[in-house]
């Protein structure tokens, strides 16, 4: 179980971002993509998460090639199996913090929150903010909220682009702990990071070559 990519190539605006990348990331592991700014980490992560179609090469999910997947099939995979923690973390500003974790509300539009969601919010230090609008959170708080949501969903594949980038040391540590825990409970965690602390917690570190 896990995810692999074979001979991926992406060209953007006439520039080769990467030409032949093959990697494999196992369920139960944290795989860290590292390398200098601009080397293509975010682009590669987008390909692995099926957000961006490479110009050539294949992404294989749990042994199944995704090359012929329809956009509907891909959307189902995003919905059922994948979670993304991106720097702008997909937080819905006009909803409260609790909703941003559970994505569930009752008939009257009130956020549905359960113990699991509260637990996650506690883990990222946001439990006392549950009824506040996400719009008022700081950048780092939004990032932690994005992580709480990804982990709450127990996704099999977690894609995290610089998940510790706007955080202080204590929160960097707790986010690394959470990603570690997600992997230890069976998720395939793939992260692009400049954070040596997070890379040190990874089972595998893949260094991308600087863009030529
Ligand atoms: N849509 C696009 N059009 C043109 N160039 C692009 C596009 N998307 C990415 N690039 C270029 O591809 C290169 C790799 O970008 P990418 O965001 O993957 O790097 P990165 O390794 O994640 O960098 P950072 O560490 O700064 O986040 C950059 O030079 C970027 O300008
Ligand atoms: Mg990036």
């Amino acid at each position: 179980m896990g995810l692999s990519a074979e001979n991926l190539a992406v060209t953007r605006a006439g520039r080769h971002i990467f030409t032949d990348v093959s990697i494999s990331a196992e369920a139960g592991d944290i795989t860290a993509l590292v390398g200098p700014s601009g080397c293509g980490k975010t682009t590669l992560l987008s390909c692995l998460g099926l957000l961006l179609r490479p110009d050539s090469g294949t992404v294989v999910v749990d042994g199944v090639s995704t090359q012929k997947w329809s956009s509907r099939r891909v959307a189902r995979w995003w919905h059922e199996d994948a979670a993304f923690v991106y720097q702008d973390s997909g937080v819905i500003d006009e909803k409260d913090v609790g909703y941003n974790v559970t994505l569930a509300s009752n008939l009257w539009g009130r956020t549905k929150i359960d113990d699991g969601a509260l637990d996650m919010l506690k883990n990222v230090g946001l439990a006392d903010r549950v009824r506040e609008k996400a719009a008022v959170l700081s950048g780092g708080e939004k990032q932690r909220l994005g992580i709480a949501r990804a982990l709450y969903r127990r996704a099999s594949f977690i894609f995290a682009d610089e998940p510790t980038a706007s955080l202080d040391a204590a929160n960097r540590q707790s986010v690394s702990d959470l990603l570690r825990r997600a992997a230890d409970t069976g998720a395939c965690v793939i992260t692009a990071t400049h954070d040596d602390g997070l890379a040190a917690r990874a089972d595998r570190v893949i260094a991308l070559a600087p863009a030529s």
Side-chain angles (χ1 to χ4, degrees):
M1 301 293 261
L3 189 148
S4 62
E6 288 151 22
N7 312 111
L8 294 187
V10 170
T11 300
R12 280 305 176 91
R15 271 185 55 230
H16 300 302
I17 314 285
F18 42 80
T19 47
D20 189 13
V21 170
S22 298
I23 73 161
S24 86
E26 304 291 328
D29 282 359
I30 297 179
T31 301
L33 309 174
V34 303
S37 175
C39 74
K41 301 180 295 299
T42 295
T43 308
L44 177 58
L45 204 60
S46 302
C47 290
L48 299 176
L50 310 183
L51 296 162
L52 172 71
R53 217 175 247 283
D55 297 307
S56 61
T58 318
V59 176
V60 175
V61 172
D62 286 338
V64 177
S65 167
T66 63
Q67 203 157 27
K68 297 215 167 75
W69 281 12
S70 63
S71 47
R72 234 168 115 170
R73 179 68 189 89
V74 171
R76 198 172 92 212
W77 183 72
W78 288 333
H79 185 69
E80 293 175 356
D81 295 319
F84 297 89
V85 182
Y86 272 24
Q87 263 219 289
D88 54 5
S89 68
V91 164
I92 307 164
D93 271 339
E94 52 281 8
K95 297 285 191 178
D96 66 25
V97 166
Y99 181 87
N100 269 282
V101 177
T102 63
L103 302 180
S105 52
N106 66 18
L107 282 176
W108 297 273
R110 192 166 164 83
T111 294
K112 278 201 211 164
I113 188 110
D114 55 28
D115 288 348
L118 270 181
D119 229 35
M120 274 308 160
L121 284 170
K122 222 176 272 165
N123 282 327
V124 299
L126 292 172
D128 56 343
R129 314 289 299 270
V130 65
R131 296 288 173 205
E132 283 180 56
K133 278 225 171 22
V136 306
L137 299 181
S138 72
E141 286 167 344
K142 284 185 183 178
Q143 207 157 348
R144 284 184 273 146
L145 181 55
I147 287 162
R149 170 164 59 202
L151 298 179
Y152 173 78
R153 292 187 46 214
R154 297 186 188 287
S156 308
F157 297 91
I158 297 175
F159 301 92
D161 195 6
E162 307 204 18
T164 57
S166 354
L167 304 179
D168 57 45
N171 279 304
R172 279 203 299 277
Q173 178 69 34
S174 65
V175 164
S176 308
D177 289 347
L178 285 169
L179 291 175
R180 188 63 261 173
R181 198 187 324 157
D184 290 342
T185 54
C188 175
V189 178
I190 308 178
T191 181
T193 188
H194 290 285
D195 175 357
D196 292 338
L198 176 55
R201 308 286 298 278
D203 301 280
R204 184 183 308 212
V205 176
I206 295 171
L208 297 188
S212 49

